[in-house]
Amino acid sequence: MGLLSVLRRLKNSPEQEVRILLLGLDNAGKTCILKQLASEDISHITPTQGFNIKSVQSQGFKLNVWDIGGQRKIRPYWRNYFENTDLLIYVIDSSDRKRFDETAQELAELLDEEKLNMVPLLIFANKQDLMTAATAAEIAESLNLHTIRDRIWQIQPCSALTAEGVQVHTHTHTETHTHKYIHT
């Protein structure tokens, strides 16, 4: 299950590039997941103030992953990255129940975006290693995922800290680009 199964359904043959948009509220664990996908050290992660791009080779796929900051002031800029998205990964902090309504609203708005119409959705129910984490089933219910009819979707319990549920067994090279927003 997880990312690889969604990729296999998405693309008929490997050796293809896949543009992945990695979104979610701040502190959900997006950058940590990105670093796990790239088999990088996760001991020093700071909040993403702009965006990170990583190209990761995995099982014949070249994954171009765009990790966009999730702070409230940055979210309006998300729409600048919707074009040509092959897969939307939405990360949720499973232990932050107080923000489930906020994350549900953001996800609903993303699913209504015309440029993301029909784009498959993978939800990482992150931080499953914490005792306070809601299960993937609880999150699916909270987000009303059962009502999604216009796209393939899947929810994957995971822990970006331990890499459980995240790893795709990457190999070869990884390219990294980090950018910050400049507000004028």
Side-chain angles (χ1 to χ4, degrees), residues 103-127:
T103 200
Q105 180 182 344
E106 290 293 342
L107 179 59
E109 289 177 19
L110 287 170
L111 297 179
D112 284 342
E113 288 287 342
E114 187 175 325
K115 288 183 180 175
L116 294 176
N117 190 28
M118 303 294 290
V119 171
L121 171 67
L122 173 60
I123 297 173
F124 276 129
N126 192 23
K127 304 188 183 182

Short mmCIF file of all heavy atoms in Angstrom, two decimals, residues 103-127:
data_model
loop_
_atom_site.label_atom_id
_atom_site.label_comp_id
_atom_site.label_asym_id
_atom_site.label_seq_id
_atom_site.Cartn_x
_atom_site.Cartn_y
_atom_site.Cartn_z
N THR A 103 -7.87 21.40 9.00
CA THR A 103 -7.25 20.61 7.94
C THR A 103 -8.30 20.06 6.99
O THR A 103 -8.07 19.98 5.78
CB THR A 103 -6.32 19.51 8.51
OG1 THR A 103 -5.42 19.11 7.48
CG2 THR A 103 -7.07 18.31 9.02
N ALA A 104 -9.48 19.71 7.52
CA ALA A 104 -10.57 19.24 6.66
C ALA A 104 -11.02 20.35 5.70
O ALA A 104 -11.28 20.09 4.52
CB ALA A 104 -11.74 18.77 7.51
N GLN A 105 -11.10 21.57 6.21
CA GLN A 105 -11.50 22.70 5.37
C GLN A 105 -10.47 22.95 4.27
O GLN A 105 -10.83 23.15 3.11
CB GLN A 105 -11.68 23.95 6.22
CG GLN A 105 -12.09 25.17 5.43
CD GLN A 105 -12.22 26.41 6.29
OE1 GLN A 105 -12.30 26.33 7.51
NE2 GLN A 105 -12.24 27.56 5.66
N GLU A 106 -9.19 22.92 4.62
CA GLU A 106 -8.14 23.14 3.62
C GLU A 106 -8.17 22.04 2.56
O GLU A 106 -8.05 22.33 1.37
CB GLU A 106 -6.76 23.20 4.28
CG GLU A 106 -6.52 24.43 5.12
CD GLU A 106 -6.47 25.73 4.33
OE1 GLU A 106 -6.28 25.71 3.10
OE2 GLU A 106 -6.63 26.79 4.96
N LEU A 107 -8.33 20.81 2.99
CA LEU A 107 -8.38 19.70 2.04
C LEU A 107 -9.59 19.83 1.12
O LEU A 107 -9.48 19.65 -0.10
CB LEU A 107 -8.41 18.35 2.76
CG LEU A 107 -8.49 17.12 1.85
CD1 LEU A 107 -7.30 17.06 0.89
CD2 LEU A 107 -8.58 15.85 2.68
N ALA A 108 -10.74 20.18 1.67
CA ALA A 108 -11.96 20.35 0.86
C ALA A 108 -11.75 21.43 -0.20
O ALA A 108 -12.16 21.27 -1.35
CB ALA A 108 -13.15 20.68 1.76
N GLU A 109 -11.10 22.52 0.18
CA GLU A 109 -10.83 23.59 -0.78
C GLU A 109 -9.89 23.12 -1.88
O GLU A 109 -10.07 23.45 -3.05
CB GLU A 109 -10.26 24.82 -0.07
CG GLU A 109 -11.30 25.55 0.78
CD GLU A 109 -10.73 26.72 1.56
OE1 GLU A 109 -9.63 27.22 1.21
OE2 GLU A 109 -11.39 27.15 2.52
N LEU A 110 -8.89 22.32 -1.52
CA LEU A 110 -7.98 21.77 -2.53
C LEU A 110 -8.72 20.88 -3.51
O LEU A 110 -8.49 20.94 -4.72
CB LEU A 110 -6.86 20.97 -1.86
CG LEU A 110 -5.79 21.76 -1.12
CD1 LEU A 110 -4.91 20.83 -0.31
CD2 LEU A 110 -4.96 22.58 -2.10
N LEU A 111 -9.61 20.04 -2.98
CA LEU A 111 -10.33 19.11 -3.84
C LEU A 111 -11.32 19.82 -4.77
O LEU A 111 -11.72 19.25 -5.78
CB LEU A 111 -11.04 18.05 -3.00
CG LEU A 111 -10.11 17.15 -2.18
CD1 LEU A 111 -10.91 16.15 -1.37
CD2 LEU A 111 -9.08 16.46 -3.06
N ASP A 112 -11.68 21.04 -4.42
CA ASP A 112 -12.57 21.84 -5.28
C ASP A 112 -11.82 22.61 -6.37
O ASP A 112 -12.44 23.18 -7.25
CB ASP A 112 -13.38 22.83 -4.44
CG ASP A 112 -14.52 22.15 -3.70
OD1 ASP A 112 -14.91 21.02 -4.07
OD2 ASP A 112 -15.03 22.76 -2.73
N GLU A 113 -10.50 22.64 -6.29
CA GLU A 113 -9.71 23.40 -7.26
C GLU A 113 -9.76 22.74 -8.63
O GLU A 113 -9.49 21.54 -8.76
CB GLU A 113 -8.25 23.49 -6.80
CG GLU A 113 -8.02 24.41 -5.63
CD GLU A 113 -8.12 25.88 -6.00
OE1 GLU A 113 -8.03 26.23 -7.20
OE2 GLU A 113 -8.29 26.68 -5.07
N GLU A 114 -10.07 23.52 -9.64
CA GLU A 114 -10.20 23.00 -11.00
C GLU A 114 -8.90 22.37 -11.50
O GLU A 114 -8.91 21.31 -12.13
CB GLU A 114 -10.62 24.13 -11.94
CG GLU A 114 -10.93 23.66 -13.33
CD GLU A 114 -11.45 24.78 -14.22
OE1 GLU A 114 -12.17 25.66 -13.71
OE2 GLU A 114 -11.13 24.73 -15.41
N LYS A 115 -7.74 22.98 -11.20
CA LYS A 115 -6.46 22.45 -11.68
C LYS A 115 -6.08 21.15 -10.99
O LYS A 115 -5.17 20.46 -11.45
CB LYS A 115 -5.36 23.48 -11.50
CG LYS A 115 -5.47 24.64 -12.46
CD LYS A 115 -4.33 25.61 -12.30
CE LYS A 115 -4.47 26.77 -13.27
NZ LYS A 115 -3.45 27.79 -13.08
N LEU A 116 -6.75 20.81 -9.90
CA LEU A 116 -6.48 19.54 -9.20
C LEU A 116 -7.60 18.53 -9.45
O LEU A 116 -7.60 17.45 -8.83
CB LEU A 116 -6.30 19.77 -7.70
CG LEU A 116 -5.08 20.59 -7.30
CD1 LEU A 116 -5.06 20.83 -5.78
CD2 LEU A 116 -3.79 19.90 -7.75
N ASN A 117 -8.50 18.85 -10.35
CA ASN A 117 -9.62 17.97 -10.67
C ASN A 117 -9.08 16.62 -11.15
O ASN A 117 -8.21 16.56 -12.01
CB ASN A 117 -10.49 18.62 -11.76
CG ASN A 117 -11.77 17.89 -11.97
OD1 ASN A 117 -12.28 17.24 -11.05
ND2 ASN A 117 -12.30 17.97 -13.17
N MET A 118 -9.56 15.55 -10.58
CA MET A 118 -9.20 14.18 -10.95
C MET A 118 -7.80 13.76 -10.51
O MET A 118 -7.36 12.66 -10.80
CB MET A 118 -9.36 13.95 -12.46
CG MET A 118 -10.75 14.22 -13.00
SD MET A 118 -11.99 13.09 -12.38
CE MET A 118 -11.49 11.60 -13.20
N VAL A 119 -7.04 14.64 -9.86
CA VAL A 119 -5.70 14.29 -9.41
C VAL A 119 -5.82 13.33 -8.23
O VAL A 119 -6.51 13.62 -7.26
CB VAL A 119 -4.90 15.55 -8.99
CG1 VAL A 119 -3.58 15.18 -8.32
CG2 VAL A 119 -4.65 16.45 -10.20
N PRO A 120 -5.17 12.16 -8.31
CA PRO A 120 -5.24 11.21 -7.20
C PRO A 120 -4.73 11.83 -5.90
O PRO A 120 -3.84 12.67 -5.91
CB PRO A 120 -4.32 10.07 -7.65
CG PRO A 120 -4.28 10.19 -9.13
CD PRO A 120 -4.39 11.65 -9.43
N LEU A 121 -5.30 11.36 -4.79
CA LEU A 121 -5.01 11.90 -3.47
C LEU A 121 -4.48 10.80 -2.56
O LEU A 121 -5.12 9.76 -2.41
CB LEU A 121 -6.29 12.51 -2.87
CG LEU A 121 -6.25 12.93 -1.41
CD1 LEU A 121 -5.31 14.11 -1.19
CD2 LEU A 121 -7.67 13.29 -0.95
N LEU A 122 -3.33 11.05 -1.97
CA LEU A 122 -2.79 10.17 -0.93
C LEU A 122 -2.71 10.99 0.34
O LEU A 122 -2.06 12.05 0.35
CB LEU A 122 -1.41 9.63 -1.31
CG LEU A 122 -0.67 8.83 -0.24
CD1 LEU A 122 -1.48 7.60 0.18
CD2 LEU A 122 0.71 8.44 -0.72
N ILE A 123 -3.38 10.54 1.38
CA ILE A 123 -3.33 11.23 2.66
C ILE A 123 -2.42 10.45 3.59
O ILE A 123 -2.65 9.26 3.81
CB ILE A 123 -4.74 11.38 3.27
CG1 ILE A 123 -5.60 12.22 2.36
CG2 ILE A 123 -4.65 11.97 4.67
CD1 ILE A 123 -7.04 12.30 2.76
N PHE A 124 -1.39 11.11 4.08
CA PHE A 124 -0.54 10.51 5.10
C PHE A 124 -1.08 10.93 6.46
O PHE A 124 -1.05 12.11 6.81
CB PHE A 124 0.91 10.97 4.95
CG PHE A 124 1.72 10.18 3.96
CD1 PHE A 124 2.45 10.82 2.98
CD2 PHE A 124 1.78 8.80 4.03
CE1 PHE A 124 3.22 10.11 2.08
CE2 PHE A 124 2.54 8.06 3.13
CZ PHE A 124 3.25 8.72 2.14
N ALA A 125 -1.61 9.97 7.21
CA ALA A 125 -2.05 10.20 8.59
C ALA A 125 -0.80 10.05 9.45
O ALA A 125 -0.49 8.98 9.95
CB ALA A 125 -3.14 9.21 8.98
N ASN A 126 -0.06 11.15 9.57
CA ASN A 126 1.27 11.15 10.17
C ASN A 126 1.21 11.15 11.70
O ASN A 126 0.18 11.42 12.30
CB ASN A 126 2.04 12.38 9.67
CG ASN A 126 3.51 12.33 10.00
OD1 ASN A 126 4.07 11.26 10.20
ND2 ASN A 126 4.13 13.48 10.06
N LYS A 127 2.36 10.87 12.28
CA LYS A 127 2.59 10.88 13.73
C LYS A 127 1.84 9.75 14.44
O LYS A 127 1.42 9.88 15.58
CB LYS A 127 2.28 12.24 14.33
CG LYS A 127 3.10 13.36 13.67
CD LYS A 127 2.97 14.68 14.37
CE LYS A 127 3.75 15.76 13.60
NZ LYS A 127 3.70 17.06 14.24
#
